[in-house]
Amino acid sequence: MSVAVKQESGLISVENRPASGAWAAKAREEAAARLTKMGLPKRRDEYWKWTRPEALLADTAAHAAVFDYEGEAPVFDAIDRLKIVFVDGVFDAAASDDLAGEKFEIERLSEAAAKDIHWASQVYGVLEASGHNPVPRPLAAHNSAMANDGVVIRVTGRVERPVSLIYQHKSDSSDAVLHNVIKLEEGSKLTLLENGTAASRLSMVTEVDVASKAEFHHVRAQGRDHERQLATHMYARLQTESMFKSFTMSVNGKLTRNECVIEILGDDAIAHIAGAALGDGNDGVFHHDDTVFITHDAVNCESRQVFKKVLKNGATGVFQGKILVKPDAQKTDGYQKSQSLLLDDDSQFLAKPELEIYADDVACSHGSTSGAIDEEAMFYLRSRGVPEKIATDLLVLAFLADAIDEIENEAIVEDIVSKLEAWLERHRS
Amino acid sequence: MLKIKNLQVKLEEEDKQILKGVDLEVPAGKVHAIMGPNGSGKSTLSYVLSGRDGYEVTGGEAMLEDEDLLELEPEERAAAGLFLAFQYPVEIPGVGNMTFLRTAVNAQRKARGEEEMSAAEFLKFIRAKAKDLKIDADMLKRPVNVGFSGGEKKRNEILQMAMLEPKMCILDETDSGLDVDAMKLVSEGVNALRDEGRAFLVITHYQRLLDHIKPDVVHIMARGRIVKSGGPELALEVENNGYADILAELDA
């Protein structure tokens, strides 16, 4: 990522905000004010103990070099989808499909922001603003203040063909601040795919507003960009009987922090967030941080957090996950699973699972574990003729299975699994 | 087929000698059974032959035809034609039974320089084998041994054996945890594999398995050695009199 923010004698000035129409100017100004008030993340902040914020700030963050992946087909390549391409953080109309379609409207953020009145004002920066309590997320506020592009999508019906955001990185010195706004109207459905490298420094925020009985599916692949230092924020607000499901695959990259903040406001809603991260410290540094905050503020809702990390050669994994159940959120069913598979003694997994419950009729639990490859299973596989390296790959994929199971589309599952298999094969030790 | 000479094995972590000079020869086409009291070293023998960690061979040799088993990795022993049906088959959540079997079959073929089986060929092959063992499609789709009953696990072992077509099959207490019907099914599966070119070593506590899988030779193992060998009648003798007489002879 990086945040182009200067901090002088304790004051933050946000410079060069993009030109905008009335609603966006107001939203950006308010975001800048929030940022100024909360300040940049610091090492002593409770949720920045394990991830160095300096790597994500403009003054100190390095630019990632363009990575040559030698013609290897990117993820989702064979999936039928509507493609929206950004190059170094800027929408590329020529490379993108026609954005017109039935049951949805897609605009560039820069176009929507130029108008004086736009529905996006109900979402843009609103979910982000609401998500600072009790934990401030200044990088997200900065993004809202500074974002220069992204997509604005309104979904009015059930859209079966996925919308795919493809981020490409072609310059060694590009700074991109992307902000996506997605609004699902009542009973609608959307599957959003995201992949690619985006820019040499990047900040990314996505806000998703899910109306009642609407369904949002999200599959994101973070790979390829081997020097990636990135912070992403995903915000979701769920109304009655709605569903939110998000899965992220992360490999490579030096530092990735994926934050997800979900507010469940309507009864009988379902929120699942999952991640599978594979890191090999021999690629350089690998530090992957999943920070999740789910608030239950309605009755009879279900939330799942399923995060799996496979770490080797000095890789580091961080999980900070919280379930907050408000006093009236009875019959909440919340489960949080964060597990790491450490393939050697050099890697480490740091986990902070938290439950904060104010309602009395709830079922909430968490399970956080670190382990090695199961020797019994390994011997069983080898005794059947499976060589140790292939057996390791099989057991790693088996370990990731619960997280991958959160993806509903079978073709996408197969695609993700094939990418993971290829990565594992390249990283056999 | 299998030639074991004066095999001596101790636990790696402890100063405890388990096998104290095992001599055993199982020719191709034959079924040999090993019986013996608890702690005599039967299971250790099966683990050492298949290459499990935790044991140290302090002397002797074990040859599978002209391959020195003790020099090979577990997967190489498998590719050379050795198969161990586990007493306690391992559950592997997240790995589908079908994926597991296909990976194993193709890894062995590759190791032997043979062509890998295509998905279609494999499917046809496994369906036929599974049907004989009354293994339904659901069991093939489920993760390896996860949620399988005791009988299903053992049938799954025999299915693997049928798919991998090993030369030397070791069955480690395959009858444990089986009811009469399951034992019959498993035994039929084993008997179907009996062949001129294949040898079996059946480790069991009870004579009843040997009613179904008729052995050519029965060995009694005690205190880390084969102490007595004979025909199938030896198993009946043990069933009727226990091991006391045999152990008394050793002490004499």
Side-chain angles (χ1 to χ4, degrees):
Chain A
M1 98 85 128
S2 272
V3 176
V5 168
K6 283 185 183 164
Q7 191 167 18
E8 287 159 354
S9 28
L11 289 175
I12 299 157
S13 66
V14 181
E15 299 167 337
N16 309 319
R17 268 182 280 140
S20 35
W23 77 269
K26 182 167 173 279
R28 284 164 171 157
E29 206 168 294
E30 287 169 2
R34 282 195 292 280
L35 174 62
T36 306
K37 199 174 158 202
M38 68 185 86
L40 290 172
K42 286 172 283 301
R43 209 101 205 240
R44 64 173 182 273
D45 294 346
E46 193 184 346
Y47 289 87
W48 287 95
K49 273 192 303 203
W50 292 329
T51 296
R52 294 168 60 84
E54 304 87 67
L56 299 166
L57 303 176
D59 291 348
T60 36
H63 282 276
V66 173
F67 182 74
D68 179 7
Y69 46 89
E70 293 162 354
E72 185 212 335
V75 67
F76 310 138
D77 206 42
I79 307 286
D80 177 37
R81 64 211 159 125
L82 186 144
K83 289 181 232 159
I84 304 176
V85 179
F86 287 86
V87 178
D88 290 305
V90 180
F91 175 70
D92 183 339
S96 301
D97 289 335
D98 180 2
L99 302 187
E102 277 178 35
K103 298 183 263 184
F104 61 83
E105 297 159 12
I106 302 176
E107 290 168 85
R108 290 177 66 174
L109 173 66
S110 57
E111 283 170 8
K115 294 174 182 163
D116 280 333
I117 300 172
H118 197 280
W119 63 261
S121 65
Q122 300 156 20
V123 183
Y124 186 97
V126 175
L127 275 58
E128 171 257 299
S130 160
H132 295 294
N133 183 25
V135 183
R137 300 172 205 277
L139 299 181
H142 171 269
N143 181 297
S144 296
M146 296 295 294
N148 40 25
D149 219 338
V151 288
V152 173
I153 306 176
R154 194 169 79 94
V155 190
T156 52
R158 294 181 67 83
V159 179
E160 296 302 332
R161 190 176 178 227
V163 169
S164 181
L165 302 178
I166 300 164
Y167 307 114
Q168 293 176 354
H169 169 199
K170 295 184 177 170
S171 153
D172 281 332
S173 59
S174 51
D175 277 332
V177 183
L178 289 169
H179 195 121
N180 302 315
V181 175
I182 297 154
K183 185 173 168 63
L184 290 111
E185 301 288 4
E186 187 168 336
S188 69
K189 177 188 172 186
L190 181 75
T191 299
L192 183 75
L193 309 178
E194 289 185 277
N195 72 293
T197 54
S200 72
R201 303 200 297 185
L202 171 72
S203 156
M204 172 92 72
V205 168
T206 299
E207 291 173 290
V208 188
D209 193 18
V210 192
S212 72
K213 295 191 170 71
E215 231 179 277
F216 178 71
H217 297 267
H218 175 234
V219 182
R220 173 167 61 176
Q222 298 172 320
R224 297 205 167 205
D225 37 354
H226 288 228
E227 295 181 6
R228 172 182 75 234
Q229 299 194 90
L230 169 71
T232 73
H233 290 80
M234 174 88 152
Y235 290 89
R237 183 164 69 183
L238 275 68
Q239 304 297 345
T240 308
E241 291 175 46
S242 65
M243 179 195 271
F244 171 94
K245 278 195 161 190
S246 172
F247 168 87
T248 299
M249 167 180 83
S250 306
V251 300
N252 308 323
K254 287 179 173 171
L255 186 151
T256 309
R257 174 161 165 131
N258 292 329
E259 292 197 36
C260 184
V261 182
I262 300 173
E263 268 189 289
I264 306 178
L265 300 177
D267 297 347
D268 305 303
I270 294 173
H272 289 199
I273 170 111
L278 287 96
D280 185 343
N282 279 356
D283 291 339
V285 185
F286 179 88
H287 180 104
H288 184 91
D289 174 337
D290 288 300
T291 295
V292 181
F293 200 111
I294 298 183
T295 304
H296 281 264
D297 198 5
V299 175
N300 200 34
C301 296
E302 171 187 300
S303 71
R304 293 284 176 274
Q305 298 172 44
V306 186
F307 287 90
K308 301 271 186 156
K309 295 177 174 65
V310 179
L311 305 166
K312 64 192 226 178
N313 296 317
T316 302
V318 173
F319 174 79
Q320 310 182 104
K322 181 157 181 168
I323 306 173
L324 168 66
V325 181
K326 294 211 171 169
D328 294 329
Q330 300 296 359
K331 308 279 180 201
T332 289
D333 171 8
Y335 183 59
Q336 190 188 67
K337 185 190 254 186
S338 64
Q339 298 179 323
S340 73
L341 181 61
L342 304 174
L343 296 179
D344 53 45
D345 295 338
D346 301 331
S347 301
Q348 64 169 344
F349 176 54
L350 304 160
K352 189 163 87 155
E354 293 177 281
L355 301 177
E356 191 176 332
I357 301 169
Y358 296 101
D360 51 19
D361 183 15
V362 302
C364 280
S365 59
H366 65 78
S368 186
T369 61
S370 288
I373 289 275
D374 177 353
E375 284 183 24
E376 292 280 322
M378 177 57 89
F379 176 63
Y380 193 64
L381 289 167
R382 293 180 73 190
S383 79
R384 296 315 183 230
V386 181
E388 192 172 6
K389 286 176 184 180
I390 296 175
T392 303
D393 290 0
L394 268 180
L395 294 173
V396 166
L397 284 173
F399 168 76
L400 297 174
D402 304 355
I404 298 167
D405 281 349
E406 293 294 336
I407 306 173
E408 290 197 353
N409 181 318
E410 279 305 315
I412 295 174
V413 169
E414 276 178 35
D415 195 25
I416 291 283
V417 168
S418 75
K419 290 294 168 193
L420 290 169
E421 282 172 342
W423 189 93
L424 287 168
E425 203 175 323
R426 285 196 298 273
H427 288 80
R428 281 179 188 161
S429 38
Chain B
M1 176 70 67
L2 180 68
K3 281 184 191 166
I4 303 169
K5 277 188 202 153
N6 192 27
L7 186 63
Q8 296 161 50
V9 173
K10 69 180 272 293
L11 289 182
E12 211 169 56
E13 306 268 305
E14 277 176 65
D15 197 19
K16 191 176 174 192
Q17 197 75 27
I18 311 283
L19 300 184
K20 299 169 183 165
V22 173
D23 289 290
L24 180 66
E25 200 167 317
V26 188
K30 300 294 180 192
V31 175
H32 283 214
I34 296 186
M35 299 180 79
N38 291 328
S40 58
K42 305 185 300 293
S43 286
T44 297
L45 178 63
S46 72
Y47 287 143
V48 169
L49 291 175
S50 53
R52 191 190 182 110
D53 281 345
Y55 302 100
E56 189 186 327
V57 176
T58 53
E61 62 173 43
M63 304 290 290
L64 180 66
E65 292 184 320
D66 48 7
E67 298 258 23
D68 180 354
L69 283 179
L70 304 178
E71 288 297 311
L72 301 179
E73 295 293 333
E75 57 268 32
E76 293 169 331
R77 299 178 196 208
L82 184 77
F83 182 90
L84 169 65
F86 282 53
Q87 183 180 359
Y88 303 109
V90 180
E91 296 185 6
I92 314 182
V95 177
N97 213 9
M98 199 89 113
T99 307
F100 161 60
L101 271 166
R102 201 172 148 212
T103 307
V105 166
N106 281 334
Q108 289 204 14
R109 287 179 164 237
K110 201 175 162 192
R112 291 194 290 259
E114 298 164 13
E115 206 169 316
E116 293 186 21
M117 221 184 244
S118 73
E121 266 180 289
F122 176 81
L123 208 60
K124 207 173 143 195
F125 188 43
I126 196 167
R127 277 190 185 142
K129 301 283 185 191
K131 199 175 162 218
D132 294 343
L133 287 157
K134 298 203 168 88
I135 288 175
D136 60 22
D138 181 53
M139 251 175 84
L140 294 177
K141 275 187 215 149
R142 269 153 49 191
V144 180
N145 294 324
V146 177
F148 286 26
S149 70
E152 285 174 332
K153 282 183 182 170
K154 296 298 169 79
R155 260 147 63 201
N156 201 31
E157 292 293 288
I158 306 306
L159 173 67
Q160 292 168 39
M161 196 159 91
M163 295 293 295
L164 295 168
E165 301 179 317
K167 289 189 274 197
M168 179 71 227
C169 309
I170 304 173
L171 279 67
D172 186 8
E173 298 196 24
T174 293
D175 49 338
S176 69
L178 292 188
D179 61 30
V180 181
D181 293 333
M183 178 137 54
K184 197 157 169 260
L185 202 59
V186 163
S187 304
E188 280 168 8
V190 172
N191 288 331
L193 290 168
R194 289 181 74 157
D195 182 277
E196 284 302 299
R198 185 171 287 137
F200 289 85
L201 185 60
V202 180
I203 297 171
T204 181
H205 270 292
Y206 302 105
Q207 197 270 335
R208 59 180 184 178
L209 178 68
L210 304 179
D211 283 341
H212 298 285
I213 305 172
K214 300 246 186 295
D216 296 295
V217 179
V218 174
H219 305 277
I220 305 298
M221 191 164 178
R223 299 177 190 166
R225 283 193 193 92
I226 302 289
V227 295
K228 195 167 183 180
S229 302
E233 71 285 352
L234 186 54
L236 282 169
E237 193 187 314
V238 167
E239 186 80 359
N240 294 330
N241 307 331
Y243 297 108
D245 294 351
I246 295 165
L247 293 177
E249 271 176 49
L250 285 183
D251 291 329

